[in-house]
Amino acid sequence: MYKTTQQSDSTTYLIFFLLFLSIIGLESCKTYNPMVDKQDKQPESREGYKEEIPATDITFDMVMIPKGTFIMGSPDSQKDRNVDEGPMKKVEVDAFYMGKYELVWEVFELFYTQNQKHFQTLETDKLHSVDAITRPSPPYEDPSNGMGKAGYPAISMSTYSALVFCKWLSTITGRFYRLPTEAEWEYAAKAGTNTAYSFGDEVTDLDKYAVYYKNSKNQYAKVGSKLPNQWGLYDMHGNVSEWTMDEYREDALAITESKNPWVKPTSIHPRVIKGGSWKDDAHHLRSSARFASSLILQKRDPQIPKSFWWNTDSSFIGFRLVSPKTEPSPEEQKQFWKTVLDE
């Protein structure tokens, strides 16, 4: 009688245990979704890929940023808000891939003329296309300012230099790469939130997510040294500020379209810089904060005219790659490079 009761109890415990495991399994399968309209389809699942640069052993990671809508800009009530962060507007953004980290020196320096020899094994047509792309002139001084290169974000390049690099990388890999638009950047930084930072409004939590003036020890850090945001992107707040494709306009949110907005550039400056850096106070790292580039970034450059490639005084600015999920056609790509590089 005791044996039968014991077996019955064991069976009951087993059933409860299996039910517990199934509940835990269901909880672990939950995913984070961006804000989307109820009438919109469910956003694509977050996924990505690892890009392998031909003729090298160097790779970098790209994260899927799903299609969705978000509120661009910041509310009047947000502390330290600037007038150019409004009026707030609802913006729709198509899906794209974004660099998991800020672009590092190991990748950017492959673009240098002295490294051209590494790619002689490419197919003839691709090799000719790569060889036709002009490479950066030597910088006036060490563009890393002696802060380190291995694993650190590439800095001090102009937007022109960053965009020519993107064209070179697109040619090398066969996949279209560019800088993010300001809207894409802010959408990715907010990662479904409406708070000052992707983790909330409290500056006391910033140390966990960002390298900035308070904790930087007066230099940048290796990429990924802090926690990522909800979409798996590192250093969206701080470490180095990041170039976008947009020309800076104070009234940009008032004049741009609601779907995939982009203020197309008409000159080298001013361009929109986002994210804040190791040199900045906390409020400059807010997701909606925006800054304009200027000739001050080349103040110490003695060249006449000033370099198209390097900004001597921008050791706090780098960039992050974007690749649209739906790639533009060859004709559209050609028109794009003509627009952004004045070809």
Side-chain angles (χ1 to χ4, degrees):
M1 183 71 176
Y2 172 77
K3 184 176 181 181
T4 302
T5 303
Q6 187 180 45
Q7 288 174 338
S8 177
D9 289 344
S10 297
T11 301
T12 301
Y13 293 150
L14 179 60
I15 291 171
F16 280 127
F17 180 70
L18 291 173
L19 284 170
F20 174 76
L21 287 179
S22 66
I23 292 171
I24 293 296
L26 287 172
E27 287 296 313
S28 67
C29 289
K30 289 182 178 180
T31 57
Y32 182 88
N33 290 323
M35 296 184 301
V36 292
D37 291 339
K38 290 181 179 179
Q39 68 267 25
D40 288 345
K41 295 180 180 179
Q42 288 296 313
E44 298 93 343
S45 62
R46 287 196 292 114
E47 55 191 21
Y49 65 90
K50 184 181 293 290
E51 182 68 89
E52 299 179 356
I53 301 179
T56 77
D57 59 358
I58 294 176
T59 65
F60 57 86
D61 295 317
M62 300 291 288
V63 175
M64 164 59 76
I65 307 300
K67 175 182 178 179
T69 60
F70 78 113
I71 303 301
M72 191 171 178
S74 63
D76 293 339
S77 59
Q78 191 171 108
K79 186 178 179 181
D80 296 311
R81 176 191 189 268
N82 293 314
V83 66
D84 65 351
E85 296 169 29
M88 296 175 70
K89 66 187 295 183
K90 187 176 182 180
V91 170
E92 180 181 349
V93 179
D94 287 336
F96 58 95
Y97 296 96
M98 186 175 231
K100 186 175 184 178
Y101 308 104
E102 294 157 334
L103 189 84
V104 294
W105 282 112
E106 290 91 327
V107 181
F108 190 72
E109 288 188 326
L110 291 173
F111 176 43
Y112 289 7
T113 300
Q114 59 265 37
N115 290 318
Q116 194 165 340
K117 60 183 181 294
H118 295 314
F119 302 99
Q120 296 306 306
T121 58
L122 295 176
E123 302 93 325
T124 302
D125 58 341
K126 186 177 287 187
L127 180 61
H128 288 334
S129 296
V130 170
D131 287 346
I133 297 174
T134 305
R135 312 299 173 86
S137 58
Y140 171 59
E141 44 183 59
D142 175 14
S144 73
N145 274 18
M147 294 188 292
K149 285 191 173 181
Y152 290 93
I155 54 172
S156 301
M157 78 292 293
S158 65
T159 45
Y160 176 78
S161 183
L163 285 163
V164 177
F165 166 83
C166 289
K167 182 179 182 181
W168 172 88
L169 184 65
S170 300
T171 305
I172 286 284
T173 62
R175 185 178 189 113
F176 181 64
Y177 287 100
R178 57 169 172 78
L179 296 179
T181 64
E182 180 180 6
E184 288 170 338
W185 193 99
E186 188 169 325
Y187 175 59
K190 287 184 171 178
T193 67
N194 273 323
T195 47
Y197 308 96
S198 62
F199 52 83
D201 290 309
E202 296 303 319
V203 176
T204 52
D205 294 329
L206 192 56
D207 275 355
K208 301 175 186 177
Y209 294 87
V211 176
Y212 67 116
Y213 178 75
K214 182 180 176 182
N215 64 12
S216 69
K217 298 181 181 179
N218 204 34
Q219 71 169 57
Y220 61 20
K222 289 190 175 183
V223 298
S225 63
K226 297 292 185 176
L227 294 176
N229 72 6
Q230 296 93 321
W231 285 352
L233 300 170
Y234 291 80
D235 302 312
M236 293 299 285
H237 305 297
N239 206 19
V240 296
S241 299
E242 299 175 16
W243 288 117
T244 71
M245 289 206 305
D246 292 53
E247 180 173 304
Y248 176 85
R249 287 278 303 266
E250 184 174 328
D251 61 349
L253 272 73
I255 65 169
T256 51
E257 300 291 330
S258 295
K259 182 173 182 179
N260 298 319
W262 174 30
V263 181
K264 294 183 180 180
T266 57
S267 60
I268 294 176
H269 298 291
R271 300 292 178 92
V272 178
I273 305 166
K274 298 282 284 183
S277 77
W278 57 272
K279 295 181 68 173
D280 289 319
D281 291 323
H283 65 275
H284 288 148
L285 278 62
R286 294 173 300 109
S287 299
S288 295
R290 51 200 305 266
F291 305 93
S293 69
S294 73
L295 287 172
I296 292 175
L297 297 178
Q298 297 174 283
K299 187 175 180 180
R300 290 182 298 123
D301 186 349
Q303 301 178 78
I304 301 175
K306 302 289 188 183
S307 173
F308 280 106
W309 300 100
W310 300 102
N311 290 328
T312 311
D313 300 277
S314 68
S315 60
F316 54 92
I317 305 175
F319 67 99
R320 191 180 300 256
L321 293 168
V322 154
S323 182
K325 184 179 180 184
T326 301
E327 290 209 346
S329 67
E331 293 74 20
E332 290 170 331
Q333 292 184 40
K334 185 177 181 180
Q335 183 58 47
F336 172 81
W337 298 123
K338 183 177 180 181
T339 299
V340 300
L341 298 176
D342 197 25
E343 294 183 340

